[in-house]
Structure formats: C-alpha cells, structure tokens
Amino acid sequence: LFEDVPLIAEPRGAALATKINNLIDALPEDCEYVGWLGDDDILLPSALQAATKVLDDNPDVVMVYGGCDYISSTGEVLFTNRSSQSASALLKMGPQLIPQPGSLWRRKAFEKVGGLSSDYSLAFDFDLFLKLSKEGRLHHVPKTLAQFRWHKGSMSVRHRLASVREASRVRRTHYQGVSRFIWPLWEPLVLVTTLIAGWLVSKRFSI
C-alpha cells in the first residue's frame, strides 16, 4: 500500500508534530484522506471503510471520528470511549473527548490549516481538530474505530499533567470574541476535571 512512500530521515530532536507532517506530505498525491496511528494505537477492522464512506458521501465533512477502546498492556479492554457528535461541539470550550486513533480527515483541509503545529508536543491533535472545525463539519461515526493502549509508559499517562496543561493552552489560543476575556470562569474547572478523570482511570485499573 505504501511502497511508493520514500523513507524519511528526520533530524535528531525534531518535534513529533513535524515528523507526522513530513510523513503525510510524503504520501502519494492521490491520497485524499489522511490520519496517523501512534505506537500505542490499533486500527480495528472496517474502520477505514466506515470513515472513508462518510467522507465520500458528505463533501461538507472535513473529519470523521468514532469510538475508541482503552486497552491494557496485555490487550484487555478496560473501557470504551464511545464519544458522540456532541464531542465536536464541546471541543471549543470543554474537555477534548474526540479520540484521535481512528480519526480521518481530508488532506486538503489538513494542508489548508497548516497541518500539525510544532508549538505543541502533546496536544497537537487537539489543536488540529479545532482548526479543522473552522473549515467544515466534524462527523461522528457510531462505531468503535480503534484501540488505545493505556499504560504507565504511554505519553498520555506518563505526562498527564503536562498534557492537560497544554490542552488548556490550546483552548485559550482558539478562544474568540468575548470568550477570550472570560475563559477564567470555566477553564480551571475543565482543566481539573480532565486531570482527575485520567487519574481515576489509572487508579481504577491499577495503572
């Protein structure tokens, strides 16, 4: 499938967002839809077919996302983030509830918004989703598309506090209008709630 994609030698210390941008840029020109999987992500069977069908049938949709299983280091399903269409509306002012694993978006929209920002080391996917939401509709597929391995060594668990703080910075960067001035009314609550939710998951499953 990717036999025409050249190998890329990244400079030492290059930001992860930059590496992903370069990989996507190296894909064949006729590749219309793009996404990525991290080393803790697993794409489930028929996920691509479900996502691409929505994009094929709905020109106004720039991104598709679905549910995501959180699994242990041994592959046991801990719980499922089923997400919903409301997650895209909540994106602008609340916690980020859209699973990145399994999500797919239009390459043209990705390029138009400048791809992933190297200003962020952990929440660049969140920043991308917010930028894409300004270009078109984010559509939820009522189907589990991927799995994410939740363990002590994963970036999301190991750097939980830094990740939550960076997500807060992403939100504050995207606030517009009156929200740019009154965000302190709710942002601390969103930050603390998100941090506690991650801690409870780790505690419940002894991770």
Side-chain angles (χ1 to χ4, degrees):
L1 178 61
F2 299 111
E3 60 183 10
D4 295 328
V5 179
L7 293 176
I8 298 176
E10 296 287 355
R12 185 182 298 274
L16 179 56
T18 300
K19 294 178 180 180
I20 296 173
N21 284 339
N22 290 343
L23 286 170
I24 290 177
D25 185 58
L27 291 172
E29 292 184 3
D30 60 352
C31 182
E32 297 181 47
Y33 311 140
V34 295
W36 82 85
L37 290 175
D39 53 4
D40 285 313
D41 302 336
I42 300 172
L43 196 64
L44 293 180
S46 75
L48 286 178
Q49 291 90 328
T52 55
K53 177 172 174 44
V54 173
L55 291 168
D56 286 341
D57 295 345
N58 300 274
D60 62 319
V61 172
V62 296
M63 173 178 153
V64 176
Y65 64 96
C68 180
D69 289 332
Y70 282 60
I71 62 176
S72 69
S73 57
T74 59
E76 175 191 3
V77 176
L78 304 176
F79 70 96
T80 300
N81 173 6
R82 301 190 185 283
S83 195
S84 68
Q85 190 60 49
S86 61
S88 62
L90 188 64
L91 197 65
K92 297 178 181 180
M93 297 182 66
Q96 204 297 83
L97 300 178
I98 295 179
Q100 179 272 314
S103 61
L104 200 68
W105 48 88
R106 296 185 187 278
R107 186 176 186 175
K108 287 185 178 179
F110 178 81
E111 293 173 346
K112 184 177 180 179
V113 301
L116 300 174
S117 173
S118 58
D119 290 340
Y120 307 109
S121 58
L122 296 166
F124 46 76
D125 55 344
F126 181 22
D127 176 64
L128 174 66
F129 298 166
L130 282 167
K131 291 189 293 188
L132 288 175
S133 70
K134 300 172 184 177
E135 297 299 321
R137 189 159 58 92
L138 310 188
H139 183 85
H140 172 256
V141 176
K143 178 183 179 67
T144 302
L145 301 180
Q147 295 181 323
F148 169 70
R149 202 176 303 277
W150 184 279
H151 60 91
K152 291 181 180 179
S154 72
M155 291 178 64
S156 298
V157 178
R158 190 170 72 250
H159 302 298
R160 187 63 184 170
L161 178 58
S163 178
V164 171
R165 284 176 171 171
E166 188 169 277
S168 177
R169 182 159 66 93
V170 169
R171 270 191 302 273
R172 286 182 276 124
T173 299
H174 285 272
Y175 283 143
Q176 297 179 340
V178 178
S179 297
R180 291 181 299 168
F181 307 101
I182 64 173
W183 63 261
L185 295 176
W186 66 83
E187 184 63 31
L189 179 61
V190 174
L191 191 153
V192 171
T193 302
T194 307
L195 185 62
I196 291 176
W199 176 79
L200 288 175
V201 171
S202 294
K203 183 175 178 61
R204 177 181 178 184
F205 299 107
S206 301
I207 295 175

